[in-house]
Amino acid sequence: MDEFELEDNLEFILQSIQELIDDQGDDNPFGEVNQNELLANLVNYDQDNLMPDVSAEDVANGKDVQGIPWEKMLFPRDQYREMKMRSYKNYQNLSYAREDAVEHCKHVEKDSPYYDFQYNTRRARPSIVHFQLRNLVWATSKHDVYTVHNQSLTHWSSLDQISTELINGDDCIIPKQRGHGSQSVSMVQFTTMAVDKDLLVLGGFQGELICKRLEDDGIVFSTRVTEDENAITNSLEIYEDPNGSRRLVAANNDCSVRIFDTEYFDLLNHYVFPWSVNSVSVNPDGTLFAVLGDHEDGLVFDPKCGKAIGKLTGHLDYSFSSAWHPDGNILATGSQDTTCRLWDIRNLSQSLAVLGGRLGSIRCIKFSSDGRFLATAEPIDFVHIYDCFADYGKSHEINFFGEIAGLSFSPDTEAFYIGVADQTYGGLMEFSRRHQHHYLNCLW
């Protein structure tokens, strides 16, 4: 992983528009405009006042889901989308042609929505610390969502419409627990998170690990897992091992995967890999890890014997996300080569299918708990929800404008959340599952 900050997306957009205008002259789709006019129209809002929330009723009455006033813009939504599609430059660590990466992508039919827009709140606006890490939204129920805004970890209640700060990374965080490697941390930039039942865990830019029990005040445990200069905590997952013990696994930029218990947070195992580890995910029975990092190939790893038992070969660039289907047989991996690959764990000789994105890297992947849906997020603008029961051949595409901070299904699959980290039109978008009801007409 490269340690540099997220680029200013607005400047990039403006530069890209200007390049299109310069290249195409009178044939450009935006007419005779200059950057000052573009800026005035792109940032057409009052910075002293938060944009209002948007409801399903607002959208039914013609309002944009992000509240973007397209009628006041210099050009309409479809033209702006066209500009983004033509000018966006996906980040690559390795050299290859995108055509090679998407050559074998599965044909996917665009289906009717699986989830309907419900609400977009500005009071829980997510933000991003590192442009390659996009797992900063976590729903623990259809009404409870945890996300990160700047240095603040917040809880959003969609039922009460209240956002509450739980942890401020700028503060000196003093853990309740002493010993077991616990230490105070401060000025933490949150890079990733995981929440399971009563336990919330945050990772930081300098290798921090912060653990909070949701029913208690304060922080139960915090530490820096490494003193390595290249220390970013990239990925976290809470799981049960085959013995039923609850564990926490962390992946860091120091080429390490570490396993902790979740009672005293003792370090139980430490595995070292030949490259920075960007993502680790655990299969449903806790016996296998998917380990992805700064290499085009990933690994299926057995934590019991401490060895890789399979290789995932097919991606053309580094990978940053993975998830296991609840049946334990299918693994999904997301890469900077703009694809999500599906693997049958029973035969890893080649991927089962390749799902292509629209613009950029696949940065976040989640399966719904019932195994019906697979959701993937690109860096900006596009989230795809695939129907697993249709062999991933149908999808619901959600498109908007802005950097994506993360996505999450609620445990009961009734809600779906997307965090949009845009300075102007960012927010936490809530969607509700659409149910198809079929009625039998009976003849008497």
Side-chain angles (χ1 to χ4, degrees), residues 159-173:
L159 199 60
D160 299 327
Q161 300 279 289
I162 295 174
S163 179
T164 306
E165 181 183 82
L166 300 182
I167 304 173
N168 190 318
D170 285 336
D171 294 341
C172 180
I173 296 172

Side-chain angles (χ1 to χ4, degrees), residues 113-116 370 372-373 412-415 432-439:
Y114 306 140
Y115 284 80
D116 293 313
D370 62 357
R372 176 66 189 273
F373 299 117
D412 63 2
T413 77
E414 289 300 313
S432 60
R433 186 166 180 173
R434 177 180 291 191
H435 292 278
Q436 302 292 342
H437 299 287
H438 301 283
Y439 299 93

Side-chain angles (χ1 to χ4, degrees), residues 25-53:
D26 295 336
D27 295 329
N28 81 81
F30 311 113
E32 296 180 1
V33 296
N34 57 44
Q35 284 204 6
N36 289 333
E37 292 174 303
L38 290 171
L39 180 62
N41 282 274
L42 283 172
V43 194
N44 188 3
Y45 77 112
D46 181 358
Q47 297 193 40
D48 294 329
N49 294 291
L50 202 62
M51 294 288 293
D53 291 355

Side-chain angles (χ1 to χ4, degrees), residues 159-221:
L159 199 60
D160 299 327
Q161 300 279 289
I162 295 174
S163 179
T164 306
E165 181 183 82
L166 300 182
I167 304 173
N168 190 318
D170 285 336
D171 294 341
C172 180
I173 296 172
I174 302 174
K176 293 181 177 180
Q177 180 174 300
R178 300 299 180 183
H180 302 272
S182 191
Q183 59 179 293
S184 300
V185 295
S186 61
M187 304 301 292
V188 182
Q189 296 176 285
F190 302 132
T191 53
T192 189
M193 66 187 298
V195 191
D196 179 68
K197 299 175 183 174
D198 67 328
L199 180 62
L200 180 149
V201 185
L202 288 163
F205 204 83
Q206 300 299 326
E208 296 94 346
L209 194 63
I210 300 167
C211 305
K212 176 180 176 60
R213 303 210 188 276
L214 294 175
E215 74 274 17
D216 295 336
D217 294 332
I219 303 300
V220 62
F221 177 86

